[in-house]
Amino acid sequence: MLESAFAAPPKTAATPPPAARHFANLGQYYPHRKWAMMLGLMLAMSLVLSFTFCSECPLLSEDFLVTFGYNFCYTTGLWLANGFPSEWLNRRVDWTLHPFRRFLITLLLSVVMSLLVILLVTGGFLVFYHHRPLSSLTWRPFVIPLLITVVVSLFMHSRSFLMGWREAAIRVERVEKENAVARLDSLRRQVDPHFLFNSLNALTSLIEDHDPARATRFVRQLAQVYRYVLDSQEQEVVPLREEMRFVESYVYLQQTRLGEGLQVDISLPPAADLDALLVPPLAVQLLLENALKHNATSQRDPLRLSLTLDVAARQLVVRNALRYRRVPDGESTGLGLANLQARYQFLTSQPVLIEKTDTEFVVTLPLLELT
């Protein structure tokens, strides 16, 4: 499987309705309200249990108040003992990735923490209210609190599971949407009429110069470029060898058109296994296209680009000299690099590194591997 980085927070997920956002943000922005709500819930549950187990007791009698105190300590203690471990586990063990492990850890923590709370509450009332030694404690007082634990624990952890499942479903939907947008954007950019128009002009010049050999090669390279674009648009990743063959064809077309105004140095180790390294399709070409789009070229001061493969670091470094030129309106959307970074976020946790100095622009693409 490919490395996966689905931990990134959603940016394009559907916006929940205002009421849902209000309640979702209640605990985040107003923690005292969350505590007040849970305290009210514990009080209400304690009253219900007290009326159930002490139905014949007068409302403010000592027996009723003691029963209420028992119930309140148990319900609040068990809520804290199950709630905080649940939140802690949510940040470390995902239900959707490791369901069995999460179930075992949850069960163990729930039992241990609940027994600790029951021991403290029962022992405390036994010693400080009933004035009896702790050694007289039996297993019977543990039965009802354990039943309460089951109810509270089922609620807490079922909620965690459902929330994790919901977030996973949102992430999957976001991935599909981002990939669809990236594919469409890539296809739209790669079949840019400007590129085709410039290529056809270059081909016309070759024909007029009576250079059939170069013209034939140019047509073949142009066909290879568009064949690769069409073949790879449905793929998430492609072998680096295929991408570099496409890049060589693309560079040939641009150098035929620009002549000595463009110099490209491609440095690949001869023994590198390019088939084992993967990249998103058209990723390298996008960087070359950006360099040509935003920088001027001339015979006297050619635009220099270099592609360097670092096999040990599993990185492909693309750098170009800076020769700024004014880009006409509508020729650049400014979304190419952002879309490339978004595509990488769904494939690996390693980021696309972008560095700009006074003299050059450098982009480092992490290379993926099949595992």
Side-chain angles (χ1 to χ4, degrees):
M1 296 175 61
L2 290 175
E3 287 184 76
S4 178
F6 282 69
K11 295 182 180 179
T12 59
T15 304
R21 292 200 303 270
H22 172 76
F23 288 108
N25 296 332
L26 188 62
Q28 179 180 358
Y29 298 107
Y30 305 101
H32 59 283
R33 294 188 184 179
K34 176 182 176 181
W35 281 97
M37 291 172 59
M38 294 307 300
L39 182 61
L41 179 61
M42 294 302 106
L43 286 172
M45 186 180 297
S46 300
L47 283 174
V48 171
L49 293 173
S50 299
F51 282 120
T52 302
F53 295 111
C54 194
S55 58
E56 298 180 357
C57 303
L59 182 59
L60 296 179
S61 65
E62 181 179 354
D63 290 340
F64 182 86
L65 294 177
V66 171
T67 302
F68 174 78
Y70 264 101
N71 292 326
F72 181 74
C73 290
Y74 279 130
T75 53
T76 304
L78 294 176
W79 163 55
L80 295 175
N82 286 274
F84 281 107
S86 176
E87 295 295 331
W88 181 79
L89 285 174
N90 286 341
R91 296 191 295 270
R92 288 164 175 81
V93 185
D94 196 331
W95 273 111
T96 57
L97 297 179
H98 307 287
F100 186 69
R101 184 194 305 176
R102 172 61 188 268
F103 173 75
L104 292 180
I105 297 176
T106 296
L107 182 63
L108 179 63
L109 275 180
S110 179
V111 171
V112 171
M113 297 298 293
S114 298
L115 286 176
L116 181 61
V117 168
I118 294 172
L119 179 62
L120 289 175
V121 174
T122 304
F125 272 88
L126 184 68
V127 173
F128 296 107
Y129 178 75
H130 296 288
H131 305 291
R132 295 170 58 187
L134 191 60
S135 58
S136 63
L137 185 64
T138 64
W139 61 271
R140 292 182 179 179
F142 287 74
V143 176
I144 294 177
L146 280 177
L147 292 177
I148 299 175
T149 299
V150 171
V151 175
V152 174
S153 181
L154 283 176
F155 172 78
M156 291 289 183
H157 300 298
S158 297
R159 177 181 177 275
S160 296
F161 173 77
L162 291 174
M163 293 297 293
W165 174 82
R166 177 178 175 272
E167 290 175 2
I170 291 176
R171 286 197 296 269
V172 169
E173 181 182 355
R174 178 167 59 94
V175 168
E176 293 177 353
K177 180 178 179 181
E178 288 286 350
N179 284 338
V181 171
R183 289 194 196 101
L184 290 174
D185 182 75
S186 295
L187 183 60
R188 181 189 60 78
R189 285 185 291 98
Q190 306 314 325
V191 293
D192 186 355
H194 290 93
F195 170 71
L196 181 58
F197 177 76
N198 292 333
S199 298
L200 293 177
N201 278 340
L203 178 60
T204 302
S205 298
L206 292 177
I207 295 174
E208 291 176 347
D209 292 340
H210 303 286
D211 194 344
R214 291 185 64 194
T216 300
R217 183 183 177 187
F218 188 92
V219 170
R220 289 175 179 172
Q221 296 292 343
L222 183 62
Q224 184 174 336
V225 164
Y226 277 87
R227 183 183 301 113
Y228 180 83
V229 169
L230 296 175
D231 291 344
S232 64
Q233 62 179 309
E234 298 298 330
Q235 301 182 42
E236 299 294 341
V237 291
V238 295
L240 181 60
R241 186 181 303 276
E242 294 183 10
E243 179 77 5
M244 295 311 299
R245 288 199 193 103
F246 163 69
V247 166
E248 290 174 356
S249 298
Y250 179 81
V251 169
Y252 174 81
L253 297 178
Q254 297 291 8
Q255 286 182 326
T256 301
R257 182 173 67 88
L258 299 173
E260 296 298 324
L262 175 64
Q263 297 183 8
V264 181
D265 178 27
I266 300 179
S267 177
L268 302 177
D273 187 2
L274 302 185
D275 289 325
L277 302 174
L278 307 174
V279 292
L282 311 176
V284 181
Q285 185 272 342
L286 180 146
L287 301 179
L288 300 180
E289 182 185 60
N290 274 356
L292 292 171
K293 184 181 297 182
H294 294 281
N295 295 275
T297 60
S298 68
Q299 304 294 326
R300 294 182 179 179
D301 190 11
L303 176 62
R304 303 179 187 275
L305 293 87
S306 69
L307 287 79
T308 306
L309 173 61
D310 187 341
V311 178
R314 299 294 189 268
Q315 292 178 335
L316 182 67
V317 181
V318 181
R319 63 180 71 230
N320 65 268
L322 293 180
R323 304 283 188 272
Y324 289 117
R325 78 177 183 91
R326 183 181 179 279
V327 180
D329 295 339
E331 185 175 333
S332 175
T333 63
L335 298 176
L337 285 177
N339 283 337
L340 180 61
Q341 289 176 310
R343 293 170 69 188
Y344 261 98
Q345 287 177 0
F346 304 127
L347 296 172
T348 177
S349 58
Q350 303 177 54
V352 175
L353 302 179
I354 300 175
E355 181 182 1
K356 182 179 179 182
T357 67
D358 293 336
T359 59
E360 64 178 4
F361 189 81
V362 184
V363 179
T364 302
L365 298 177
L367 302 176
L368 311 175
E369 291 182 282
L370 286 174
T371 57

